[in-house]
Amino acid sequence: MRDGSNYIADTEGVLFPDVDAAITAGLYCGQGLLLKKLLNIRPKPGQRLEITCEAGKVVALLPIL
């Protein structure tokens, strides 16, 4: 998750067969469960989930609503 210059990495990670599957999982899980479980905070404007490939390149950005 990124909030401006602050970055919180998922140290475990999950591998998906393609970017679309990762985006779908991010939309279902990341929007509410990630914040409640890992951060225990309310989202702020500009916060987003970054989906990366195995090499660490950002392949998708999901706003946290």
Side-chain angles (χ1 to χ4, degrees):
M1 186 186 91
R2 185 169 300 279
D3 177 6
S5 62
N6 298 320
Y7 179 74
I8 300 171
D10 176 359
T11 57
E12 294 178 25
V14 178
L15 294 178
F16 293 96
D18 54 43
V19 173
D20 289 335
I23 290 171
T24 299
L27 290 171
Y28 278 104
C29 297
Q31 299 301 314
L33 296 177
L34 178 68
L35 290 175
K36 288 180 182 178
K37 186 175 180 183
L38 298 179
L39 304 176
N40 198 25
I41 60 173
R42 294 181 64 123
K44 299 176 189 174
Q47 288 181 324
R48 63 184 188 249
L49 296 177
E50 294 183 350
I51 296 176
T52 61
C53 67
E54 290 180 76
K57 179 182 173 187
V58 175
V59 295
L61 298 172
L62 302 176
I64 298 175
L65 306 173

